């Protein structure tokens, strides 16, 4: 097959431009990325051979090789791993599959600050990192089990070439034709064995495959594989291959942990928190988990991969091991190494395995307790954590009954107590007013809308704190969590407001009764008039300023929850709500008098309708017939002119 030229996909091209004009100052990391890919490729091959021993591939000496060349100056990273087929090269190297890419690139363009580096880490630019240091990149690869190889070449400027190759060794070799060294631009001499050793030590020491460095064959830019030339020194293994999770804490630096995190997560930023666990005894395992410092783009897309790698006795078994942590901790990355599992263990078996279930429980508890510690010891880190992952963690309130209290314990919420600071439930309880029975909350689209909603009036008047919940998941978990610390969670838009203490209730009892009798006629009449829309019209104890508001019955599905279910394709039955009137409002009082005198006046029925419409608008709801509402209002305004 002749050499063919292809164009990069648009996103890939944009990204390459950025790599070439390097927005990333630490260029050394290109080598980490290439080694990381080689390590993955070796893992994959070993697993494939484990599953299918008819592949006929020699896996006795899996390793990564690094070679340099002088004229032209080149650096080659070679592995005898799984390799790629022709189609895979097109797919994996020529395009960026990640759907968040376009969004990411836009963000990157708009952000002027230097935190570009952090942004880049949001998705895999791995292989392209080579273009930070190379004028041209060549990738020669052959998929294990296939006979033909593929050579891919590009300068990163818009196009790449592909060519079928007859005698490619199995695995992948990436050769960089290096840009001239320029120390001022942090572009170092990557043909220097000293420099390479340093980079490998710093970023890739823990890689579980040997990384060998050989002197280059000066004749061929592609380095040497077999070393027939007697003068060439033996390749030397330059990484220790020590599993960081199996070593004691004081033997490992934070930086080393962070580099392992980057290898596993493909993130370029440091993690927020590192969680170590070592269990001994009948069921021995080690875990090294990481909480990232930023949520990935696809955290809420279906099929988001979970980041736990399973090892058995230091041997990589699988990525994305979903049996080890629940959905609501899907952002946690890391490694779990178990001593007593079979190397052949499958996902199905893992789900059933009692020891895995035990591990799962302990890991969840450990992650939650780590967050709890972070809350008191590193408030700023906790704040980042909650901003990035709070929405996900709260999903656990719906699914993980056993850890519900622990999850509530690490949760924090916006509240009327403070405009900016979030509060924990514990802090809320400590601030509760004398005689206050419940924890009050409201759910809604935004803080502003809730603060101005009529439901808030009595609470504001009495200085009773209300939690302001704006995440979609809040609509759901509040239904599932009845109480915290023995106090009920109560929506201020549901049921009776119930703000009075028993004593206060007794005090106002007489007054209430009187009012109730006074208004009985209006309430019955209005309930009748609005029977299409509401199930009851009653007097309110939650309003001080507004004439009316709409509330849901204690057990009813709220409108927001219904629209959420609808968005997920599930229809909930329409439940009628309750209209509450403020007897202290002149409009309501006037309506009462007018109704007592002339209840068959059609204008009055319209006014009742308008009062209901206003209540809906005040809570940010929708009118069923806005044009009729407008017409009725216009008529009334006209009369005032
Ligand atoms: P990521 O590693 O995050 O997936 P990269 O840009 O580093 O992103 O690599 C893209 C893909 O190209 C990899 O997922 C892998 O499928 C393939 N690839 C890259 N390098 C190699 C290699 N040395 N051997 C086999 N496949 C590779
Ligand atoms: Mg990679």
């Amino acid at each position: 097959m002749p050499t063919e030229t292809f164009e990069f996909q648009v996103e890939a091209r944009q990204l390459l431009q950025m790599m070439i004009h390097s927005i990333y100052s630490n260029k050394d990391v290109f080598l980490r990325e290439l080694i990381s890919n080689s390590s993955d490729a070796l893992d994959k091959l070993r697993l494939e051979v484990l599953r299918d021993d008819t592949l006929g591939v020699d896996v006795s000496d899996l390793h990564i090789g690094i070679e340099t060349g002088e004229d032209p100056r080149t650096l080659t990273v070679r592995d005898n791993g799984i390799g790629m087929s022709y189609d895979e090269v097109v797919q994996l190297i020529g395009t960026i599959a990640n759907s968040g890419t376009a969004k990411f690139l836009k963000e990157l363009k708009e952000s002027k600050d230097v935190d570009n580096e952090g942004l880049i880490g949001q998705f895999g630019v791995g292989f392209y990192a080579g273009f930070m240091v190379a004028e041209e990149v060549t990738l020669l690869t052959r998929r294990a089990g296939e006979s033909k190889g593929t050579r891919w070449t590009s300068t990163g400027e818009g196009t790449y070439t592909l060519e079928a190759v007859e005698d490619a060794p199995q695995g992948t070799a990436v050769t960089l034709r290096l840009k001239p060294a320029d120390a001022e631009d942090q572009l170092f001499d990557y043909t220097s064995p000293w420099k390479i050793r340093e980079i490998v030590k710093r970023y890739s020491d823990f890689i579980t495959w040997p990384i060998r460095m050989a002197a280059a064959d000066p004749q061929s830019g592609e380095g040497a594989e077999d070393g027939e030339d007697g003068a060439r020194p033996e390749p030397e293994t330059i990484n220790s291959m020590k599993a960081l999770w199996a070593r004691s804490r004081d033997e490992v630096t934070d930086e080393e942990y962070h580099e392992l995190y980057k290898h596993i997560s493909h993130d370029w930023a440091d993690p927020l928190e590192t969680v170590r666990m070592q269990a001994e005894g009948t069921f021995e395992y080690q875990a090294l988990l990481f909480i990232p410092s930023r949520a990935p783009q696809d955290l809420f897309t279906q099929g988001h991969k979970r980041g736990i790698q399973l090892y058995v006795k230091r041997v990589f078994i699988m990525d994305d091991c979903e049996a080890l942590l629940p959905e609501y901790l899907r952002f946690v990355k890391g490694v779990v190494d178990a001593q007593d599992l079979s190397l052949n263990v499958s996902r199905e078996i893992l789900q059933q395995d009692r020891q895995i279930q035990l591990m799962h429980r302990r890991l969840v508890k450990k992650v939650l307790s780590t967050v709890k510690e972070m809350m008191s010891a590193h408030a700023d880190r906790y704040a980042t954590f909650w901003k990035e992952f709070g929405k996900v963690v709260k999903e656990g309130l719906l699914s993980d009954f056993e850890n519900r209290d622990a999850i509530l314990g690490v949760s924090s919420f916006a509240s009327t107590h403070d405009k900016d600071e979030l509060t924990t439930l514990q802090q809320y309880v400590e601030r509760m007013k004398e005689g206050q029975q419940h924890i009050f909350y409201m759910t809604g689209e935004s803080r502003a809308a809730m603060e101005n909603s009529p439901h808030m009036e009595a609470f504001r008047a009495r200085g009773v704190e209300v939690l302001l919940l704006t995440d979609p998941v809040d609509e759901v978990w509040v239904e599932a969590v009845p109480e915290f610390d023995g106090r009920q969670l109560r929506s201020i838009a549901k049921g009776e407001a119930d703000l009075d203490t028993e004593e206060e209730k007794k005090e106002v009892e007489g007054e209430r009764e009187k009012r109730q009798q006074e208004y009985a006629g209006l309430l019955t009449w209005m309930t009748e008039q609005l029977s299409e829309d509401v199930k009851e019209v009653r007097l309110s104890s939650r309003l001080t300023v507004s004439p009316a508001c709409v509330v849901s019955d204690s057990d009813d599905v709220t409108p927001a929850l219904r629209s959420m279910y609808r968005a997920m394709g599930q229809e909930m039955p329409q439940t009628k709500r309750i209209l509450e009137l403020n007897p202290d409002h002149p409009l309501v009082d006037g309506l009462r008098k007018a109704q007592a005198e002339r209840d068959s006046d059609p204008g009055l029925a319209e006014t009742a309708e308008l009062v209901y419409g206003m209540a809906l608008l005040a809570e940010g709801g929708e009118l069923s017939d806005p044009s009729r509402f407008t017409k009725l209002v216009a008529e009334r305004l006209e009369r005032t002119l």
Side-chain angles (χ1 to χ4, degrees):
M1 207 189 294
T3 307
E4 286 185 89
T5 304
F6 298 85
E7 285 199 1
F8 283 107
Q9 168 215 35
V10 182
E11 279 90 6
R13 197 158 55 217
Q14 281 178 312
L15 190 62
L16 276 165
Q17 277 304 310
M18 287 190 214
M19 291 290 78
I20 292 168
H21 304 292
S22 204
I23 45 179
Y24 201 74
S25 57
N26 180 6
K27 300 186 176 53
D28 288 359
V29 296
F30 82 91
L31 188 56
R32 168 188 80 193
E33 294 302 314
L34 296 182
I35 290 175
S36 177
N37 285 349
S38 285
S39 168
D40 290 348
L42 293 166
D43 286 339
K44 283 182 200 156
L45 179 63
R46 205 195 51 76
L47 280 181
E48 198 161 305
V49 170
L50 202 65
R51 287 197 200 104
D52 174 9
D53 55 9
T54 63
L55 220 57
V57 181
D58 178 12
V59 290
S60 61
D61 185 31
L62 297 180
H63 67 277
I64 298 165
I66 300 182
E67 295 137 24
T68 55
E70 273 314 327
D71 193 15
R73 292 168 62 253
T74 61
L75 175 71
T76 298
V77 177
R78 181 191 301 279
D79 63 70
N80 49 359
I82 190 85
M84 284 174 270
S85 67
Y86 186 93
D87 291 344
E88 281 171 333
V89 174
V90 174
Q91 205 183 50
L92 298 168
I93 304 292
T95 62
I96 299 171
N98 189 327
S99 60
T101 304
K103 186 172 158 238
F104 160 80
L105 287 168
K106 197 162 157 276
E107 243 180 88
L108 200 59
K109 261 196 201 137
E110 284 166 5
S111 90
K112 296 267 178 306
D113 66 55
V114 202
D115 189 40
N116 276 336
E117 309 199 357
L119 274 174
I120 283 195
Q122 287 300 299
F123 74 147
V125 292
F127 173 77
Y128 289 169
F131 285 97
M132 294 195 298
V133 302
E135 281 163 353
E136 185 183 66
V137 178
T138 303
L139 174 139
L140 179 63
T141 186
R142 178 163 67 82
R143 179 79 167 76
E146 291 187 5
S147 58
K148 268 195 196 148
T150 307
R151 178 181 283 114
W152 178 100
T153 314
S154 179
T155 58
E157 299 281 0
T159 60
Y160 61 88
T161 63
L162 281 178
E163 177 191 359
V165 177
E166 290 299 334
D167 55 353
Q170 177 236 307
T172 304
V174 177
T175 300
L176 310 176
R177 203 179 71 216
L178 295 164
K179 291 181 185 174
D182 177 0
E184 235 168 71
D185 192 23
Q186 296 210 42
L187 195 58
F188 299 104
D189 178 8
Y190 299 112
T191 59
S192 147
W194 173 85
K195 182 69 193 168
I196 287 171
R197 223 176 270 125
E198 182 213 278
I199 300 177
V200 170
K201 209 69 203 153
R202 173 139 40 99
Y203 297 113
S204 314
D205 192 57
F206 56 84
I207 292 287
T208 46
W209 304 103
I211 302 171
R212 296 181 193 150
M213 190 162 64
D217 176 350
Q219 302 311 309
S220 95
E222 290 193 2
E225 171 76 338
D226 45 13
E228 278 158 39
D229 180 351
R232 207 175 299 130
E234 277 289 298
E236 160 205 18
T237 299
I238 55 177
N239 59 327
S240 74
M241 293 183 275
K242 279 190 189 153
L244 295 187
W245 53 91
R247 294 163 70 184
S248 70
R249 176 67 189 91
D250 47 346
E251 275 178 53
V252 186
T253 64
D254 287 351
E255 209 189 8
E256 284 178 290
Y257 282 136
H258 294 176
E259 291 310 328
L260 176 68
Y261 163 74
K262 290 173 191 173
H263 171 61
I264 295 169
S265 65
H266 298 192
D267 189 349
W268 283 28
D270 286 343
L272 195 62
E273 200 70 56
T274 303
V275 185
R276 284 182 70 253
M277 263 179 100
Q278 299 200 330
E280 276 157 34
T282 45
F283 185 37
E284 200 181 322
Y285 65 88
Q286 293 110 15
L288 196 53
L289 306 182
F290 301 96
I291 299 174
S293 52
R294 239 185 100 138
Q297 307 272 7
D298 61 347
L299 196 55
F300 289 95
T301 25
Q302 285 231 326
H304 170 85
K305 288 233 160 37
R306 263 171 277 178
I308 305 295
Q309 295 188 338
L310 178 68
Y311 278 68
V312 172
K313 298 189 257 309
R314 312 276 179 279
V315 176
F316 174 79
I317 302 296
M318 66 177 74
D319 261 327
D320 187 24
C321 184
E322 69 277 356
L324 285 170
L325 279 180
E327 276 277 330
Y328 74 92
L329 296 178
R330 60 184 175 274
F331 54 87
V332 174
K333 312 279 179 199
V335 171
V336 173
D337 191 341
Q339 307 305 303
D340 303 325
L341 291 173
S342 137
L343 288 177
N344 277 319
V345 71
S346 70
R347 288 184 194 273
E348 294 68 34
I349 290 174
L350 282 178
Q351 296 288 3
Q352 313 294 330
D353 190 283
R354 245 188 45 76
Q355 293 186 322
I356 291 284
Q357 287 164 0
L358 191 72
M359 246 154 91
H360 177 112
R361 289 184 62 187
R362 293 214 194 128
L363 293 177
V364 172
K365 291 202 190 307
K366 181 73 180 177
V367 171
L368 291 175
S369 68
T370 303
V371 177
K372 185 83 193 171
E373 280 161 31
M374 185 158 61
M375 249 172 140
S376 48
H378 305 282
D380 52 333
R381 259 194 258 168
Y382 166 76
T384 305
F385 169 81
W386 193 251
K387 179 162 97 29
E388 297 295 322
F389 304 113
K391 287 190 193 67
V392 188
V393 172
K394 284 186 282 188
E395 291 172 11
L397 292 169
L398 291 161
S399 53
D400 188 353
F401 190 74
E402 189 184 327
N403 292 300
R404 179 173 286 172
D405 286 339
I407 299 171
L408 285 175
V410 300
S411 299
S412 52
F413 309 95
S415 133
T416 54
H417 172 70
D418 192 298
K419 181 157 85 21
D420 307 307
E421 296 283 319
L422 302 184
T423 180
T424 63
L425 291 181
Q426 193 57 46
Q427 289 164 337
Y428 179 102
V429 168
E430 282 158 19
R431 279 192 300 265
M432 272 169 63
K433 289 235 171 294
E434 181 89 35
Q436 182 182 341
Q437 316 263 5
H438 314 303
I439 296 172
F440 293 106
Y441 70 85
M442 183 169 186
T443 57
E445 295 254 308
S446 71
R447 181 181 183 109
M450 284 189 273
E451 276 178 333
N452 294 322
S453 129
H455 303 102
M456 199 62 87
E457 288 172 10
F459 292 84
R460 189 182 307 117
R462 289 175 179 238
V464 173
E465 181 174 352
V466 178
L467 301 176
L468 301 170
L469 311 179
T470 48
D471 289 331
V473 63
D474 293 330
E475 297 282 351
V476 196
W477 75 258
V478 289
E479 303 288 330
V481 177
E483 54 167 56
F484 172 78
D485 197 19
R487 334 251 163 178
Q488 278 186 27
L489 273 91
R490 284 273 186 110
S491 163
I492 66 164
K494 273 187 152 192
E496 300 274 1
D498 199 14
L499 273 171
D500 294 337
T501 61
E502 291 306 314
E503 270 167 44
E504 285 171 312
K505 273 183 198 153
K506 273 199 201 106
E507 256 169 54
V508 296
E509 187 64 23
E511 175 73 4
R512 253 176 85 104
E513 294 260 299
K514 211 176 110 216
R515 275 258 163 93
Q516 203 61 43
Q517 277 172 15
E518 214 179 0
Y519 275 85
L522 176 72
L523 297 178
T524 316
W525 174 80
M526 244 174 120
T527 303
E528 176 91 353
Q529 291 300 318
L530 299 172
S531 61
E532 294 263 296
D533 301 303
V534 301
K535 63 174 153 195
E536 188 191 351
V537 181
R538 69 186 181 205
L539 292 184
S540 183
S541 56
R542 73 185 91 218
L543 297 175
T544 58
V545 185
S546 302
C549 70
V550 192
V551 301
S552 295
D553 228 349
S554 317
D555 307 323
D556 282 353
V557 175
T558 59
L561 193 56
R562 181 178 311 108
S563 48
M564 261 184 62
Y565 277 115
R566 162 168 271 170
M568 297 186 305
Q570 237 174 305
E571 285 296 336
M572 301 290 276
Q574 185 82 26
T575 45
K576 289 185 189 167
R577 295 167 76 206
I578 296 164
L579 179 67
E580 287 194 353
L581 299 180
N582 177 4
D584 295 324
H585 196 284
L587 172 60
V588 175
D589 192 40
L591 192 58
R592 175 183 64 81
K593 288 181 187 140
Q595 189 271 333
E597 285 165 17
R598 45 187 168 91
D599 69 351
S600 55
D601 178 352
L604 271 189
E606 288 171 3
T607 305
E609 216 182 309
L610 285 171
V611 168
Y612 172 62
M614 277 157 40
L616 279 179
L617 289 178
E619 67 167 15
E622 277 177 30
L623 300 169
S624 59
D625 188 351
S627 63
R628 178 174 162 79
F629 183 86
T630 317
K631 181 173 145 282
L632 294 179
V633 173
E635 278 169 16
R636 278 157 181 72
L637 288 177
E638 234 175 82
R639 280 182 233 148
T640 68
L641 301 174

